[in-house]
Structures are given as C-alpha cells and as structure tokens.
Amino acid sequence: MDNTKLITKGTTPKDKSGVGNVNFIKVENLSNNQIYPVQKISQEEHDSYLKRSRLQANDILFSIAGTLGRVAIVGSSLLPANTNQALSIIRGYDFDSDFLITSLSGHVVAEYIRKNPTVGAQPNLSLEQVGNLIISSPIEEEQEKIGSFFKLLNHLITVNQRTTILFAPDQNSTLSLRFHPPSALN
C-alpha cells in the first residue's frame, strides 16, 4: 500500500486489569467491519507506554495475528482509544475510507492472506506484508461509489443477521416453525 503515510501496530498494556477510561481494542472487538470495544486502559498508560499505538479518527485497523483480515475504521466516538499488537494501524491513506475497507475485506486480500501467512504458533502477517498489499483503485469518485455501495450492503447484512437472531433465538425454534405451521404448535 504505497499510498499510506503510516503502518504500525499496537502494544500489550502492562496493566491488564481492564480499568480506565480509554477504549482498548483487540481483534475480537472487530466484527462486520465495526468496532465493539469492551476493555479499557488508563489514560496514563495510553499517554506513556502505549503512546505509539494511540488511535486517531479514520485509522483503519487490520488484524494481523490470530484471526487474519478483520478490518474496521476508527470513528471519533471511540476516542480516546488504543490497540494491541494483533492489529495493524493504517493511517494517512490516499483512498476513500469505505473503498479501502471494502478492498481489505475482499477476495484478493483474503487470497493473499491465505497464501502468505507467517508460520508460527498462530497465523500472522508482518507489517511489511501489510505494506506490500496491492490495492488497485479507480478514480476517487468511483472509489466513493464502490465504498458507499458495499458499506450499505454490509449494513443491510448486519441488520438482517440481527433480525434473524431476534426472531430465532435458537436453532430448535427455527426448525419447529419450519416444520409445523404456527397453528399446529398451539
């Protein structure tokens, strides 16, 4: 990704109590291109030991350890926030942010990850490998259209998944309704 100013990664906090007022984002907090933080760190640790990995609005987080290829954009409502070494931070990119999220979530990057993981105790990608990802991009206007379309599509998928969970809290309920019309269940 030649069109970026910074690709770095986070650090593990020294204080693992989860107490503080700063969001601490880990791979498991990324789902469906969204960030759902649950852990906290102290402002002191955020401003000192973890200073290098302080997040900014519009940073792209891309998972590089464990579950590879999860991606999300940091919104200003999450700040202040920090992250650990399993997430790369992509900052200062010359792409439409929704287009970049779409590209990093796409088939070409998934194939690259499948073919190029670093071998170790768990799969991982190096920051160099993230930097070497080739993102083919059309003109900015087309990037915006593509990014907006897939952002809306992902939102509709997420809403549909939530609706399915709401109406079918367990598999047995769903199966029961499929094989027995509601009048037969009374």
Side-chain angles (χ1 to χ4, degrees):
M1 286 195 295
D2 293 335
N3 299 352
T4 58
K5 292 182 179 131
L6 176 70
I7 298 175
T8 190
K9 63 182 179 177
T11 307
T12 300
K14 291 179 180 178
D15 178 3
K16 295 177 181 52
S17 68
V19 176
N21 61 344
V22 176
N23 287 315
F24 189 72
I25 301 166
K26 298 163 63 172
V27 172
E28 55 266 26
N29 302 129
L30 274 59
S31 178
N32 297 321
N33 299 342
Q34 298 292 315
I35 301 171
Y36 303 96
V38 293
Q39 190 173 348
K40 303 283 186 181
I41 59 171
S42 71
Q43 187 72 44
E44 180 184 334
E45 189 163 27
H46 176 68
D47 290 334
S48 59
Y49 179 67
L50 300 176
K51 185 177 183 177
R52 177 177 67 95
S53 52
R54 287 185 294 194
L55 299 176
Q56 297 177 10
N58 297 319
D59 282 350
I60 300 285
L61 300 181
F62 184 73
S63 62
I64 58 172
T67 305
L68 304 179
R70 288 188 185 182
V71 63
I73 188 166
V74 176
S76 58
S77 64
L78 286 171
L79 301 176
N82 211 300
T83 189
N84 70 5
Q85 69 276 10
L87 290 169
S88 64
I89 304 165
I90 303 169
R91 180 177 298 153
Y93 43 87
D94 289 334
F95 298 100
D96 174 78
S97 58
D98 291 327
F99 175 81
L100 184 54
I101 292 279
T102 298
S103 297
L104 291 172
S105 301
H107 177 73
V108 172
V109 172
E111 276 299 300
Y112 178 85
I113 290 170
R114 188 182 66 76
K115 292 178 180 177
N116 295 290
T118 302
V119 178
Q122 66 177 351
N124 65 75
L125 294 172
S126 68
L127 293 177
E128 181 180 359
Q129 287 172 302
V130 173
N132 289 337
L133 289 172
I134 297 171
I135 305 293
S136 298
S137 62
I139 62 171
E140 189 172 344
E141 182 180 325
E142 290 298 315
Q143 288 181 40
E144 290 171 5
K145 289 178 182 178
I146 293 167
S148 293
F149 173 79
F150 281 100
K151 182 178 182 178
L152 175 61
L153 184 61
N154 286 334
H155 174 72
L156 292 173
I157 290 168
T158 300
V159 167
N160 186 43
Q161 288 172 338
R162 288 182 188 149
T163 303
T164 301
I165 291 168
L166 180 65
F167 288 112
D170 64 57
Q171 192 174 16
N172 291 334
S173 299
T174 306
L175 289 174
S176 178
L177 290 173
R178 279 191 200 136
F179 294 110
H180 305 287
S183 61
L185 294 174
N186 292 333

